[in-house]
Structure formats: structure tokens, C-alpha cells
């Protein structure tokens, strides 16, 4: 494989983006020179991370940064006039900040052999850089961007415009990468592209230290039901907490993660009805995550069909539970159902209500000791055989090998 100068464009922070970090580390280890331009809220010096050169790019004109509250996602919107006004102001501020960031990236970044755009906004900036400097173009679709979050709830004219922009840029790309077969099919049907599937699986952790989470919370041998990740709407956290009164009285429900809702549930955990049954633990470093989640008896992925991306998605936690040998309950959606059914690592059930989720949890807790151990073994075996980064990352390396051999990217 010929070494290339690869520049990635990420309209977000790098520290907690496991997919970007795994990709850049893999490419750097393969001998490529990797630069990642990220979003910064203020000017920062470049730094080295995982073998890559990180260039924080601060927009000169900042109105609204990603992650700030979106009126498109508000649970209880204002009246019609107020709602329209707040949404228009948010959309204007968001796009104004993005254009400023993109312009700064164009002025800051030198020529590269390949431009790797993460999701739609990274792709559009990568396409502009390619137009200026030449080189290859890679579109890395972490999800169905137009079917997730605020983008899925924009007014129809705005959605059509963004979808046309994504279609044009994606069709011009020399390679398209995405996270699972279902999303690959959807991108093909929408844009006529043929994505390479690169599932976002963690590296194998050969030595897991059991007891961290149980010792931290002094749970002993109580049944431990775990949700980890972003504690936010649409992920089934509400249904899980509402299910607590329906679970065995000694069961402990743990939310391990981050987000605005974490504060709400931390307060609820002090309520008499939930004290000693609900626990909220701040997020831990990605590198240490397997040692925290491996204590769980049941892992929960109860995504709700709030948008199409949730229905087709394969969230990171699916593979993190698998790698840690944790039997899981997943929403009965196509990709998650396929994976847990094929591997025997868990069950796919209706998770739309507290009652249905509680019934599914009871189903796993009622398994015999032998069956519980067998599920753990099947989960770990699936991770060791297929669903780990060492296996998946070969697809990424093949993309760049073809790109280098094609002559599009000229080192």
C-alpha cells in the first residue's frame, strides 16, 4: 500500500468520536500521514492523537455549535409562531457557524492526496477542498444523516435541498463508506452509490476486569440491568426507568453515560420510589469501558422509532456489549434483530413500552445459569470472529489501497 496524505473533515469534537479515532489510528498505523480537521469553539493549537495530526478549526463567526439545544428536538414546543421563529433562528445560526468553519478549513488546510468527509457536513467541506487542491474523495456516512436528529425534522424544502447536496457530493466521491448493510442499501437506493460496509466495532479487549461497576455501586450479586451511552430522548431510557417498578425488587438499573437527561435521572434516583434501584454513573473513558460494562447481566438497547435512522442503526453499544460478553435486549429493528439472532448474543423484542421492556428483561433474568453463561459465550465468540475492529478495519485499508492504486490520489 502506497502511503498517502489523508485529511479527514469532522464537524464535531474528536475526543469521544470512536469511529473517527479508530479510522485515523488504523490509517496512521498502515503508514499513511493522517490529519483530522475538527471543530473547536475557540482557537487551539494542533496536537497529536492516536498517530494522527489533529487541527482544531474554530469558526471566525460563531452563532450556534453542534450539541446546543435544538428546537426541532424539543419535547414540548412553543406555540406555532414561537416555534417557527425559534426554529428559523436555530437553522440560520447553525448553518452560519458551519459555513464559517468550512471557510476556515479551506484557508487553513494544505493540499492532500485524499479528503475523507465524515457525514454530510464533513463531506461538503471535503468536496470543496478537493475542488481546490485535487486528490481523491471519500464519503464516510456514520448514519442516515438526513433521517436523524434535527435534519430529519427540518422543513421539507430544506430537507430536499440538503438531500440533493448529499446526493451530488456522494456520487462524486471515489469511495463511500457506511456502518451496516441496511444503510448501505438505503444509500444505494437514494443516491446510486455502492458503499463499503465498515461496522463500528471496538477492538478486542483480551483482559476484562470484572467488578468495577458492581464495586463502585456496592451492588454485590444483584441482577444488574445496564444502559450505557448518550442519555437522551428516543433511546429507550424513559421506558427503562418506567419499567423499574415492574422488575424484580433486587434488580438494579444503571445508566452509564452523559447528556442533559442524566441530571434528571440523577435527581430521580434520590426519590424514595427509585432509591437503591436506579443508579446514574458518569461516562467513563472509551478505553476502560469494557471493564465497566462487563458486570451487567443484561445490556439494553431500546431505541425508539423516532426517526428512520434509529430503525436502521447499529449503535456502538451493540458491539460493545458483545465484546464485553453481555447478553442484550435490542429493539426489534432489522439490523439489530439480524445480528443478535444470528449470533445468539441476545433477543430482539418490542421495547416501546415499560411493560414490554420489563417482560423482555424478565425473560433474560429467568434464564438458567447455564443459558446465561452460554449467551455470554456466544456474544464474546461473535465479537472475536467478526464484530471487532481488527476484522472490520480491513475494509477501510482496502478502500485506501484501491484509491492509491487508481491514480486518483497521487502521493
Amino acid at each position: 500500500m502506497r502511503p498517502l496524505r489523508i485529511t479527514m473533515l469532522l464537524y464535531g469534537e474528536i475526543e469521544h468520536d470512536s469511529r473517527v479515532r479508530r479510522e485515523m489510528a488504523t490509517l496512521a498505523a498502515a503508514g499513511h500521514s493522517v490529519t483530522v480537521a475538527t471543530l473547536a469553539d475557540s482557537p487551539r493549537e494542533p496536537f497529536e492523537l492516536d498517530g494522527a495530526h489533529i487541527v482544531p478549526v474554530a469558526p471566525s463567526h460563531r452563532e450556534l455549535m453542534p450539541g446546543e439545544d435544538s428546537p426541532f428536538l424539543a419535547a414540548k414546543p412553543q406555540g406555532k409562531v414561537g416555534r417557527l421563529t425559534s426554529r428559523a433562528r436555530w437553522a440560520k445560526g447553525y448553518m452560519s457557524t458551519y459555513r464559517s468553519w468550512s471557510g476556515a478549513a479551506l484557508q487553513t488546510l494544505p493540499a492532500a492526496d485524499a479528503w475523507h468527509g465524515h457525514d454530510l457536513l464533513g463531506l461538503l467541506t471535503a468536496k470543496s477542498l478537493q475542488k481546490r487542491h485535487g486528490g481523491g474523495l471519500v464519503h464516510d456516512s456514520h448514519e442516515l444523516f438526513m433521517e436523524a436528529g434535527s435534519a430529519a425534522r427540518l422543513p421539507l424544502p430544506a430537507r430536499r435541498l440538503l438531500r440533493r447536496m448529499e446526493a451530488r457530493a456522494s456520487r462524486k466521491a471515489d469511495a463511500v463508506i457506511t456502518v451496516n448493510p441496511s444503510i448501505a442499501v438505503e444509500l444505494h437506493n437514494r443516491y446510486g452509490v455502492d458503499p463499503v460496509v465498515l461496522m463500528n466495532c471496538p477492538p478486542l479487549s483480551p483482559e476484562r476486569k470484572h467488578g468495577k461497576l458492581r464495586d463502585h455501586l456496592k451492588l454485590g450479586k444483584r441482577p444488574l440491568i445496564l444502559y450505557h451511552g448518550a442519555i437522551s430522548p428516543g433511546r429507550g431510557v424513559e421506558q427503562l426507568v418506567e419499567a423499574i417498578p415492574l422488575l424484580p425488587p433486587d434488580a438494579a438499573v444503571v445508566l452509564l453515560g452523559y447528556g442533559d437527561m442524566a441530571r434528571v435521572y440523577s435527581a430521580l434516583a434520590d426519590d424514595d420510589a427509585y432509591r437503591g434501584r436506579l443508579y446514574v454513573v458518569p461516562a467513563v473513558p472509551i478505553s476502560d469501558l469494557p471493564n465497566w460494562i462487563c458486570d451487567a447481566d443484561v445490556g439494553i438497547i431500546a431505541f425508539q422509532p423516532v426517526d428512520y435512522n434509529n430503525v436502521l442503526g447499529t449503535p456502538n453499544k451493540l458491539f460493545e456489549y458483545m465484546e464485553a460478553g453481555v447478553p442484550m435486549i435490542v429493539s426489534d429493528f432489522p439490523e439489530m434483530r439480524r445480528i443478535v439472532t444470528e449470533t445468539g448474543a441476545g433477543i430482539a423484542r418490542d421495547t416501546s413500552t415499560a411493560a414490554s421492556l420489563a417482560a423482555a428483561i424478565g425473560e433474560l433474568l429467568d434464564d438458567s445459569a447455564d443459558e446465561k453463561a452460554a449467551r455470554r459465550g456466544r456474544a464474546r465468540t461473535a465479537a472475536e470472529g467478526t464484530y471487532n475492529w481488527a476484522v472490520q478495519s480491513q475494509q477501510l485499508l482496502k478502500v485506501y489501497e484501491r484509491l492509491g492504486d487508481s491514480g486518483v490520489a497521487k502521493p
Side-chain angles (χ1 to χ4, degrees), residues 19 23 140-141 176-185 187 194-200 314 319 335 338 387 389 391-396 399 402:
R19 182 177 181 83
E23 288 182 0
D140 196 334
S141 184
V176 179
I177 300 170
T178 195
V179 293
N180 68 46
S182 288
I183 291 181
V185 169
L187 291 172
D194 294 305
V196 171
V197 173
L198 173 64
M199 304 191 93
N200 197 31
T314 41
F319 306 114
E335 278 296 319
R338 177 184 67 81
Y387 298 106
W389 186 249
V391 170
Q392 295 296 319
S393 64
Q394 297 306 306
Q395 300 303 317
L396 178 67
V399 165
R402 288 193 295 269

Side-chain angles (χ1 to χ4, degrees), residues 22 108-109 157 160-161 173 258 290 319 349 354 371 375 394 410:
R22 287 170 190 151
T108 302
L109 299 173
R160 284 176 173 167
L161 173 62
Y258 56 92
F319 306 114
R349 295 291 185 268
E371 177 56 23
R375 281 197 195 277
Q394 297 306 306
K410 298 177 181 179

Side-chain angles (χ1 to χ4, degrees), residues 109-321:
L109 299 173
D113 303 309
W115 306 95
H116 188 126
H118 292 281
D119 279 325
L120 174 58
L121 299 182
L123 171 64
L124 295 178
T125 302
K127 185 71 178 69
S128 297
L129 283 156
Q130 183 205 35
K131 184 177 180 181
R132 172 173 293 188
H133 297 291
L137 179 65
V138 176
H139 176 200
D140 196 334
S141 184
H142 295 200
E143 58 188 354
L144 280 178
F145 186 87
M146 292 308 305
E147 305 297 340
S150 295
R153 296 158 178 82
L154 291 171
L156 186 58
R159 283 176 47 77
R160 284 176 173 167
L161 173 62
L162 289 174
R163 187 161 166 171
R164 285 197 298 270
M165 294 170 70
E166 185 173 41
R168 285 196 298 267
S170 192
R171 288 168 187 155
K172 292 287 186 180
D174 298 289
V176 179
I177 300 170
T178 195
V179 293
N180 68 46
S182 288
I183 291 181
V185 169
E186 189 67 22
L187 291 172
H188 173 80
N189 291 340
R190 292 185 179 200
Y191 303 145
V193 297
D194 294 305
V196 171
V197 173
L198 173 64
M199 304 191 93
N200 197 31
C201 303
L204 288 174
S205 174
E207 295 183 7
R208 294 184 303 283
K209 300 175 182 177
H210 288 264
K212 271 201 167 186
L213 186 55
R214 288 184 178 276
D215 291 347
H216 178 71
L217 297 174
K218 298 179 173 58
L219 295 179
K221 296 183 178 180
R222 294 172 59 186
L224 197 167
I225 296 92
L226 175 67
Y227 170 90
H228 82 278
I231 303 174
S232 56
R235 294 170 177 260
V237 181
E238 300 98 321
Q239 287 80 0
L240 177 58
V241 172
E242 290 172 10
I244 290 175
L246 306 176
L247 299 177
D250 61 339
V253 169
V254 178
L255 310 180
L256 172 64
Y258 56 92
D260 290 340
M261 289 178 64
R263 293 192 294 271
V264 175
Y265 289 121
S266 291
L268 187 64
D270 288 331
D271 186 271
D272 288 343
Y274 291 93
R275 188 178 295 116
R277 304 196 70 185
L278 172 64
Y279 301 85
V280 181
V281 179
V284 299
I286 293 173
S287 60
D288 200 28
L289 185 62
N291 296 322
W292 286 81
I293 66 177
C294 65
D295 282 350
D297 295 296
V298 179
I300 302 295
I301 310 176
F303 277 26
Q304 303 299 302
V306 294
D307 54 48
Y308 195 37
N309 188 69
N310 262 19
V311 173
L312 293 188
T314 41
N316 296 348
K317 58 178 64 64
L318 174 70
F319 306 114
E320 289 161 351
Y321 285 138

